[in-house]
Amino acid sequence: MATEPRPRLSVAMLVEDAPAEVVVSSIESVRAVADEIVALCAGSAAPTPQVLADLGIGITVRHAAWDRDRSALRNRLLCDVAGRWVLWLEPGERLAPESAEVVASFVEDLAEPLSAARLWIEMPPGAPGEPTQQAARVRLMPNRADLRFEGRVRETVLPSIHAAGVPIALLPARILCDPWHHDAAWRAARADRDIELAMLEQGPGDSLPVRALLAMGDAAVALEDWPLARQSYGEAVRIAPPGSTEKLEAYYGLLVTFAGHSGEADEQLAVALEALEAFPLDAQLLLAMGGLLQGRQRLDLATRCFELAARCGQVDLETWHPCDLGQTAVVCLGAALALQGRLDEAARVLAESLAAHPDWMRVRRGLLELLVRGGQSVEALRVAERLAVDPRQREPLRNAIRGACRAARQEWAEALEFLQRAWQAGCRDPICLRGLVQARLAMGRTEGLESLLAQWGAAEPGSAEVEAYRQALVCGEHTAVVAPPGAAGLSQTWVRIDPAATPGPAAAHFPLVTETVCYSPPYPPGILAESVAAAGPWAWPGRPNSTVAGTGR
């Protein structure tokens, strides 16, 4: 009697506390590519197996008691899948439609599953103005007895992959996270559970492994328990192997714990410098340092940080980082140059970047703003031609640019005519709204300005420039506030490194993997540290205490 052929690809999912409809959405995204789908529901908070089975979506559902060990549950799930390959999906994650073919081709092209693969995980913004985050994680692996997970929390299969000598590929496939991952109640419950699991990993002398410390720190950030977060990340920095992804993530987390604590600005700056000494070309650290220096009005040093990030910044693919990190670095550099009055240099930097990356719309928008504020209408209109704009709004936007450029030259009557025409045609671009506010204020026409400012604030959430105009209106200062080129939105251009946005356990047990954001000959590694340390005038504090007990997150 012939045996049935072994399934090629199994999709595995560990379900702890997700709503049934979220699980269904995830499963539906892989039905076309999976030969079998197996879900393990663990604990009372998970949907019951019968609930999922009754949905009729063709999956095998198992149930297990919650034994406070995620690796044990995943390894049990591995015993239930029959495929030669295993694709891991978390509740609330969906395989992007165009990525199904990539995964299918990868497993079909290899006669034997000899390699694991990282897929891109993409997390949508949690609030207006935040960037979309991404990280490359091992989600596709051979189904082998020697590949197993370890760790109660922040569980990882990487140590066994490396021990078995299995290579890891990087696939151009994306897994999209549902906005449900930002649900406050779910995040708080998950954080409480992660802290409990991390504490169970205490070894001799109450020590915790780096992985558990990072899990503790991330959970503490989610709960806004800043002392616990700082203690956990600080200990992780101390014990993590030099140059490792864990050490880099610990520095990211430690920097976040200073958010909102202005009295600790010197200590935060010292931590950032220490991190850069360990990872001198990390793009996120360079951007964070640039933001800190910019806040101290050290635009010269901030510019150097942004330039390093833009020209030779590196990204550890395993860590969470903005999808448009390269663009962010270029935009920051252009804005910092503009604030120093180096407008031609700023325009050149942005234009050179666009020549290499024509689809970088944030950079295109930055160059457009710079040209508009300089009143250069011909150049601005040329740059705007490649913006992604509704065809019906293209001519209104062109009129808005013509008007805003005239406003920059203080030709108020002509500016108002163009801007009003654009606004009446439905243009709500910030260029139109800013120029219209400026022109009306300059001409003493304050009627309806509150409504315009509300529209502008909706187009640019959190804009300090909008708030400045609101204050001017309240105080009766009916004059146009003409900001220097590149100043608008500058407070939003530096990257806030926030590991709390991670959608689930992070596996970071492999040597640092980097990719170059932009390409140029690298700077000598010590040049930034030497420049910052020599600059003053602030007194550098001692290094943060890194000998705290490891009772991490």
Side-chain angles (χ1 to χ4, degrees):
M1 181 177 178
T3 60
E4 292 187 13
R6 185 179 178 186
R8 168 71 62 175
L9 177 64
S10 299
V11 173
M13 181 184 299
L14 174 61
V15 184
E16 291 180 42
D17 48 10
E21 61 271 17
V22 169
V23 178
V24 172
S25 174
S26 298
I27 292 172
E28 289 287 359
S29 74
V30 293
R31 290 187 68 184
V33 71
D35 296 306
E36 69 166 359
I37 302 171
V38 184
L40 177 63
C41 298
S44 59
T48 65
Q50 191 59 45
V51 169
L52 295 181
D54 288 346
L55 294 172
I57 52 180
I59 66 171
T60 301
V61 185
R62 301 280 189 261
H63 190 273
W66 173 248
D67 59 1
R68 301 191 296 179
D69 188 333
R70 291 199 182 106
S71 281
L73 290 168
R74 291 191 186 276
N75 292 333
R76 173 175 174 173
L77 182 51
L78 280 173
C79 295
D80 289 333
V81 300
R84 301 164 72 86
W85 295 87
V86 181
L87 173 65
W88 287 93
L89 207 63
E90 299 297 304
E93 294 181 347
R94 304 181 310 280
L95 185 64
E98 65 276 9
S99 296
E101 184 176 347
V102 174
V103 172
S105 297
F106 181 79
V107 300
E108 291 295 336
D109 287 346
L110 297 179
E112 293 294 330
L114 302 176
S115 170
R118 292 188 180 91
L119 278 67
W120 287 103
I121 318 297
E122 185 175 303
M123 174 65 70
E130 291 184 359
T132 298
Q133 300 273 338
Q134 66 179 6
R137 301 286 169 84
V138 172
R139 288 300 187 86
L140 184 61
M141 55 183 278
N143 189 1
R144 293 171 35 166
D146 56 346
L147 299 185
R148 288 296 181 263
F149 287 85
E150 65 176 51
R152 292 177 180 269
V153 63
R154 205 176 169 103
E155 63 276 19
T156 176
V157 73
L158 284 171
S160 66
I161 285 178
H162 294 318
V166 175
I168 302 175
L170 177 63
L171 294 187
R174 303 192 81 80
I175 293 174
L176 309 177
C177 297
D178 192 277
W180 166 76
H181 285 96
H182 295 298
D183 180 78
W186 177 81
R187 284 168 56 83
R190 180 85 173 194
D192 285 334
R193 179 173 287 188
D194 284 355
I195 289 175
E196 176 191 12
L197 296 178
M199 293 299 294
L200 290 173
E201 296 212 24
Q202 285 184 340
D206 292 334
S207 63
L208 286 171
V210 176
R211 172 180 40 74
L213 287 167
L214 291 173
M216 185 89 79
D218 289 348
V221 168
L223 296 171
E224 298 186 2
D225 185 341
W226 303 114
L228 176 58
R230 188 173 302 182
Q231 181 183 24
S232 304
Y233 290 133
E235 178 65 4
V237 165
R238 187 182 73 83
I239 69 173
S244 66
T245 299
E246 296 103 317
K247 198 174 194 73
L248 179 60
E249 289 187 308
Y251 274 124
Y252 286 172
L254 190 55
L255 285 170
V256 169
T257 67
F258 293 95
H261 303 284
S262 57
E264 300 171 331
D266 282 346
E267 188 176 358
Q268 184 183 29
L269 195 61
V271 169
L273 180 58
E274 180 183 294
L276 277 171
E277 289 172 345
F279 301 93
L281 293 179
D282 182 78
Q284 296 201 79
L285 291 177
L286 286 166
L287 291 174
M289 174 65 90
L292 294 173
L293 292 169
Q294 187 171 276
R296 291 172 174 266
Q297 304 303 311
R298 291 309 307 265
L299 288 174
D300 53 342
L301 292 177
T303 300
R304 178 169 294 193
C305 289
F306 296 145
E307 185 177 9
L308 279 168
R311 297 193 182 282
C312 48
Q314 295 176 340
V315 180
D316 185 324
L317 304 183
E318 181 82 6
T319 63
W320 287 97
H321 56 277
C323 293
D324 60 353
L325 191 59
Q327 291 195 66
T328 298
V330 173
V331 170
C332 286
L333 176 57
L337 290 169
L339 283 175
Q340 297 172 76
R342 298 159 64 180
L343 305 183
D344 291 342
E345 191 174 350
R348 178 181 56 78
V349 165
L350 296 174
E352 288 178 353
S353 177
L354 271 184
H357 305 281
D359 59 334
W360 278 13
M361 290 301 138
R362 283 188 60 204
V363 174
R364 185 170 296 279
R365 169 65 66 164
L367 180 57
L368 175 60
E369 293 275 359
L370 189 66
L371 295 171
V372 165
R373 290 177 182 274
Q376 302 177 59
S377 57
V378 175
E379 294 84 349
L381 288 168
R382 178 179 53 79
V383 169
E385 281 302 312
R386 294 192 62 174
L387 285 177
V389 178
D390 184 327
R392 294 169 296 182
Q393 284 298 311
R394 189 160 296 281
E395 187 56 31
L397 177 59
R398 289 174 62 85
N399 281 330
I401 292 171
R402 294 180 181 107
C405 287
R406 283 166 172 78
R409 300 195 296 264
Q410 300 187 21
E411 299 168 1
W412 302 116
E414 290 184 33
L416 190 58
E417 180 180 349
F418 276 110
L419 291 162
Q420 194 70 32
R421 188 187 311 165
W423 184 81
Q424 289 173 347
C427 183
R428 296 298 182 267
D429 190 275
I431 289 175
C432 178
L433 297 169
R434 180 191 300 111
L436 200 51
V437 169
Q438 288 178 342
R440 286 194 178 186
L441 275 174
M443 299 182 71
R445 297 173 56 176
T446 59
E447 70 282 357
L449 278 182
E450 281 291 350
S451 175
L452 285 175
L453 287 171
Q455 294 174 23
W456 184 5
E460 289 188 323
S463 169
E465 195 176 7
V466 173
E467 187 57 33
Y469 275 107
R470 282 201 180 104
Q471 293 299 321
L473 192 61
V474 169
C475 297
E477 299 174 1
H478 298 159
T479 57
V481 182
V482 182
L490 193 61
S491 62
Q492 301 175 26
T493 59
W494 72 287
V495 175
R496 179 170 182 261
I497 302 165
D498 190 358
T502 56
H509 295 265
F510 67 99
L512 186 68
V513 179
T514 61
E515 69 175 4
T516 303
V517 175
C518 299
Y519 299 89
S520 76
Y523 288 77
I527 187 171
L528 178 67
E530 294 169 4
S531 299
V532 174
W538 58 85
W540 285 92
R543 291 288 186 253
N545 180 11
S546 59
T547 59
V548 294
T551 57
R553 85 187 215 217

